[in-house]
Amino acid sequence: MAPSSAGFVTALTTAALATVGFLGYQAYAAVPAHLTKARTNGTPAITAPKAPGGGKNAALLPPGSGTGARVVYSLRGHRVWLVGLGDKVIRTFKVTPGNIAPAPGVYAVTSRSNAVTGTDGTPIEHVVRFTSVDGVAIGFSTAVGDAAPPDFTTTTVRTGGIRESRADGDVMWTFATIGATVAVIP
């Protein structure tokens, strides 16, 4: 490579890194303060009503779940909201969580798999992972075929899968790409 080419590549690389750093800062600065402050136990602070998404108000987005496009997952309510721009709820649905739960906080989608086998041995698809707890991956997934919803209360297998219906899993797969925000609320 000629010296002028090396300088050009170095300049492009530097510009790309500066752009990524700037965009990362913008994303961080756009997160509301109540979602970034750490609690004394080290988990991010996040607020939500006592029983979000229950009963006739299931479609209502819980207050304190962040802003902007995001996935909101309620640990107590076993419910997910897919939120578009302007805090518009695109879809909300019930889920069946695994027996390992993430801490409340704000995460980003880190990996996706079109089809794999879950830790409980069930074939799953449209896996959208956003964190791990003690080496157990946590993410949304859909059981393939006619697999019954798991009963994680009777198994000793540690699983962080949050199971969705096939239709809901299809929408999640399209919505939650790598880097998408996932807000976990109590």
Side-chain angles (χ1 to χ4, degrees):
M1 190 181 283
S4 62
S5 296
F8 182 71
V9 170
T10 301
L12 282 177
T13 303
T14 302
L17 289 173
T19 301
V20 168
F22 175 73
L23 291 174
Y25 171 77
Q26 279 187 321
Y28 173 77
V31 175
H34 71 278
L35 295 178
T36 60
K37 292 179 183 172
R39 294 183 187 182
T40 56
N41 67 0
T43 61
I46 190 163
T47 59
K50 206 168 200 173
K56 65 181 181 175
N57 295 325
L60 295 178
L61 183 63
S65 63
T67 60
R70 65 198 180 282
V71 175
V72 177
Y73 169 47
S74 169
L75 294 169
R76 279 192 302 240
H78 298 187
R79 179 168 289 279
V80 167
W81 293 262
L82 303 181
V83 183
L85 298 176
D87 283 341
K88 181 181 177 196
V89 175
I90 296 169
R91 188 178 188 105
T92 183
F93 49 90
K94 294 291 278 182
V95 293
T96 303
N99 53 17
I100 305 293
V106 178
Y107 302 89
V109 173
T110 56
S111 69
R112 296 168 20 117
S113 297
N114 192 38
V116 295
T117 300
T119 54
D120 63 345
T122 302
I124 56 176
E125 65 181 2
H126 294 166
V127 181
V128 176
R129 297 175 202 87
F130 59 91
T131 192
S132 65
V133 175
D134 297 329
V136 176
I138 307 291
F140 304 101
S141 64
T142 301
V144 174
D146 295 330
D151 181 3
F152 295 120
T153 61
T154 62
T155 182
T156 58
V157 176
R158 298 177 49 186
T159 181
I162 304 162
R163 296 286 166 80
E164 314 159 302
S165 73
R166 178 168 231 115
D168 295 330
D170 289 346
V171 176
M172 174 72 79
W173 180 254
T174 302
F175 185 84
T177 56
I178 299 292
T181 299
V182 177
V184 178
I185 62 175

